Amino acid sequence: MIRPAPGRFSLCRRTRWIVPVLMLSLGVACRRAAPGDSAPPAVLEVSPEPIVVRAGQPNDVTIRGTGFDATANTVTVGSVILTAVVSSRGGTVIALSLPDRVPSGGGAAPMLWSPGRYALTVSNGRGSSAPVMVTIQEPR
């Protein structure tokens, strides 16, 4: 759905008669948003917490929340960006494999995660979630 820029008006909402007739004659219709349709994603839980990273093994992570797109989410954890991530259960669960390495700058080979706390966000066409801090640990 195309949204007006902030401060601009929506033709479908501001005009009652002229624009709908014009849009109808052009074959365009206004679509009403379903409840919660335009709410940005929200991350409610990430598991496991902490995430234990082992070299050579992907790490299965489950993100629970709301407002996830069925097929077009971008999950960011620190400097790792995963695109086209799918969700299930009506846009409330994302299951993914977090790589064991993070990109390095200057053409260097990817390196293992450094233990610490990293911001995780989920973004899609509705916007971006507030960052949730996750802990990355090395195996013991």
Side-chain angles (χ1 to χ4, degrees), residues 33-101:
D37 191 29
S38 62
V43 175
L44 304 176
E45 177 188 12
V46 178
S47 62
E49 175 59 28
I51 301 168
V52 178
V53 177
R54 292 176 173 80
Q57 296 180 2
N59 303 281
D60 294 331
V61 176
T62 302
I63 303 168
R64 288 181 171 72
T66 60
F68 302 151
D69 189 84
T71 59
N73 298 290
T74 298
V75 177
T76 304
V77 182
S79 62
V80 173
I81 301 170
L82 306 170
T83 59
V85 178
V86 300
S87 72
S88 61
R89 297 188 185 171
T92 62
V93 175
I94 292 175
L96 59 86
S97 291
L98 189 65
D100 67 331
R101 298 179 186 270

